[in-house]
Amino acid sequence: MALAYAILTLLVEHPHSGYDITKKFDGSVGFFWKATHQQIYRELAKLEAQSWVCSEVVPQEGRPDKRLYALTDLGKQQLLAWLAKPTEPMMIKEELLIKLSIGYLASTEQMVHELERHRQIHLEKLALYRQLEQTHFQDLSAVSMPLRYSYLTLRRGIHYETDYIAWCEEAIELLNQWGDGYSAPACEL
Amino acid sequence: MALAYAILTLLVEHPHSGYDITKKFDGSVGFFWKATHQQIYRELAKLEAQSWVCSEVVPQEGRPDKRLYALTDLGKQQLLAWLAKPTEPMMIKEELLIKLSIGYLASTEQMVHELERHRQIHLEKLALYRQLEQTHFQDLSAVSMPLRYSYLTLRRGIHYETDYIAWCEEAIELLNQWGDGYSAPACEL
DNA sequence: GGTGCCATGTAACGAGTTACATGATTGG
DNA sequence: CCAATCATGTAACTCGTTACATGGCACC
């Protein structure tokens, strides 16, 4: 269900084509939800069948026609009703942690290397988010209400990446300590 | 695929029944991966068809017979091969953030209330994790290698919950600031 | 002339969810 | 007597992923 509402959310501002929505799921929205274009087209068809959105084909010159989807009154009602309901915290699905839990079957170096790699990836994401913060939210008092709410989600991203990096570093340090003790057990006194 | 490997991971130590595995996915493993018993039974059947695990029915008195699944050599090979491959960071799917991004359509109170609720849930999880840390990992030097790796995943949980709570508090404070400015716009000079 | 963007879709599959079903034993 | 635990499964469904398919335009 959540994907449907994520799409409706985007349509609140103005109509979008399936293509537009796909782009947003690749970019800004993509921080907290991912979807492929196939999922989006399928979901849009379903939403239109339920009359939560309606669509209109817009002819274009020099490029393919596009079908613009807009929120209906029913769709907006449903969105607001959903907004008022409590949300369950979403579960984490971290493949890296499954691996780490049997990391003792591999070498310390292998695990440390993988953690370094993840640290790097999260550093890059963090840099991106920090840049967005700098360019769009320097002076919050000048920012519109809708954008301020987006800022809260950006802050979540910044928190998440910062914390993930800190954990990577902690884990790497612990692994290095333990690894030393193991590869030279004679030194353990 | 990840579910299959998560199951194999559990079988490294000793054989488990489908029921046992389900319990673990409800408990400790459940922090970073969730699965229902249906998923697990289905996956076990598939793993057995591929000869990554083998099973044996163990008759019991006073309770239903159980089928114990054990890792085969092939299964262990596959698990190690998987362990050596790099993992992609998993995406976040946070329904709360979808809601928050259109939070301006609801009242500040509603959003603050929901954030408070989530803060509470994460506080409780954190308390649980901290207790596990206290009871099992007080003295790390006395802990076996396999358990030390589990400790790293527990640390991830502690990091995650701590950070989530911090973000909730930050967001609540910001919302309260903005809400004040809006409900009394005359004060805005 | 090839790559990449715009724009939409079908088909097949794999993963995850929800509901239903069975049946004995233990404990309040 | 009712509920919970142990133990396994089927069926139907939705959600998510991957591959394949089309076709014009712009840019280098």
Side-chain angles (χ1 to χ4, degrees), chain A residues 26-189:
Chain A
D26 264 354
S28 52
V29 186
F31 161 63
F32 45 87
W33 210 273
K34 302 256 187 245
T36 60
H37 79 275
Q38 290 81 353
Q39 274 179 278
I40 288 159
Y41 285 117
R42 189 165 57 186
E43 204 65 39
L44 282 170
K46 219 188 290 176
L47 286 170
E48 187 161 27
Q50 290 175 299
S51 297
W52 293 22
V53 302
C54 56
S55 74
E56 181 189 11
V57 176
V58 178
Q60 292 187 119
E61 281 169 34
R63 50 187 54 188
D65 293 353
K66 64 167 140 184
R67 178 174 289 272
L68 279 184
Y69 289 88
L71 206 53
T72 62
D73 286 342
L74 176 60
K76 187 154 188 183
Q77 267 172 42
Q78 295 293 140
L79 185 60
L80 290 176
W82 170 76
L83 187 58
K85 280 192 299 188
T87 317
E88 285 323 294
M90 304 245 74
M91 72 198 159
I92 300 159
K93 288 210 162 182
E94 275 274 22
E95 208 171 331
L96 180 62
L97 295 181
I98 303 178
K99 281 195 182 167
L100 199 55
S101 71
I102 51 158
Y104 59 93
L105 295 179
S107 69
T108 303
E109 290 72 37
Q110 208 181 106
M111 287 296 120
V112 167
H113 183 258
E114 185 66 2
L115 283 166
E116 302 262 27
R117 210 174 61 81
H118 280 259
R119 177 171 167 274
Q120 197 53 45
I121 292 167
H122 289 285
L123 274 171
E124 279 157 28
K125 272 211 153 179
L126 178 59
L128 186 75
Y129 293 155
R130 284 231 178 273
Q131 206 191 332
L132 285 174
E133 192 180 31
Q134 288 273 310
T135 52
H136 298 293
F137 304 102
Q138 268 288 49
D139 179 19
L140 267 181
S141 62
V143 168
S144 71
M145 262 300 147
L147 261 180
R148 287 188 192 184
Y149 277 86
S150 296
Y151 178 61
L152 296 179
T153 69
L154 177 61
R155 287 296 303 164
R156 179 70 203 112
I158 289 172
H159 266 270
Y160 179 79
E161 302 301 342
T162 304
D163 172 64
Y164 207 104
I165 292 159
W167 171 77
C168 284
E169 289 169 357
E170 183 188 312
I172 289 166
E173 207 187 306
L174 284 170
L175 281 175
N176 281 330
Q177 279 174 29
W178 302 340
D180 292 350
Y182 244 58
S183 55
C187 301
E188 270 196 76
L189 196 130

Side-chain angles (χ1 to χ4, degrees), chain B residues 78-94:
Chain B
Q78 295 293 140
L79 185 60
L80 290 176
W82 171 76
L83 187 57
K85 279 191 300 187
T87 317
E88 286 322 295
M90 304 245 75
M91 72 198 160
I92 301 159
K93 287 208 163 183
E94 276 274 22

Side-chain angles (χ1 to χ4, degrees), chain B residues 30-63:
Chain B
F31 161 63
F32 46 87
W33 210 272
K34 303 255 186 244
T36 60
H37 80 274
Q38 290 82 353
Q39 274 179 277
I40 288 159
Y41 285 117
R42 188 165 57 187
E43 204 64 38
L44 282 171
K46 220 188 289 176
L47 286 170
E48 188 162 28
Q50 290 174 299
S51 296
W52 292 23
V53 303
C54 58
S55 73
E56 181 189 11
V57 176
V58 179
Q60 292 186 117
E61 280 168 35
R63 49 188 55 190

Side-chain angles (χ1 to χ4, degrees), chain B residues 22-166:
Chain B
T22 306
K23 290 265 126 169
K24 294 219 173 172
F25 273 92
D26 264 355
S28 51
V29 186
F31 161 63
F32 46 87
W33 210 272
K34 303 255 186 244
T36 60
H37 80 274
Q38 290 82 353
Q39 274 179 277
I40 288 159
Y41 285 117
R42 188 165 57 187
E43 204 64 38
L44 282 171
K46 220 188 289 176
L47 286 170
E48 188 162 28
Q50 290 174 299
S51 296
W52 292 23
V53 303
C54 58
S55 73
E56 181 189 11
V57 176
V58 179
Q60 292 186 117
E61 280 168 35
R63 49 188 55 190
D65 294 353
K66 64 167 140 184
R67 178 175 288 272
L68 278 184
Y69 290 88
L71 207 52
T72 63
D73 287 342
L74 176 60
K76 188 154 188 183
Q77 266 171 42
Q78 295 293 140
L79 185 60
L80 290 176
W82 171 76
L83 187 57
K85 279 191 300 187
T87 317
E88 286 322 295
M90 304 245 75
M91 72 198 160
I92 301 159
K93 287 208 163 183
E94 276 274 22
E95 207 172 331
L96 181 62
L97 294 181
I98 304 178
K99 281 195 182 170
L100 200 55
S101 70
I102 50 158
Y104 59 93
L105 296 179
S107 68
T108 302
E109 290 73 38
Q110 209 182 104
M111 288 295 119
V112 168
H113 184 258
E114 185 65 2
L115 282 166
E116 301 263 27
R117 210 173 62 80
H118 279 258
R119 177 170 167 274
Q120 197 53 45
I121 292 167
H122 289 286
L123 275 171
E124 279 157 27
K125 271 211 152 177
L126 178 59
L128 186 75
Y129 293 155
R130 283 232 178 271
Q131 205 191 329
L132 284 173
E133 192 179 31
Q134 287 273 310
T135 53
H136 298 293
F137 304 101
Q138 269 286 49
D139 179 18
L140 268 181
S141 64
V143 169
S144 71
M145 262 300 147
L147 260 181
R148 286 187 192 186
Y149 277 85
S150 296
Y151 178 60
L152 296 180
T153 68
L154 178 60
R155 286 297 303 165
R156 179 72 205 111
I158 289 171
H159 265 270
Y160 179 79
E161 302 301 341
T162 303
D163 172 65
Y164 207 104
I165 292 159

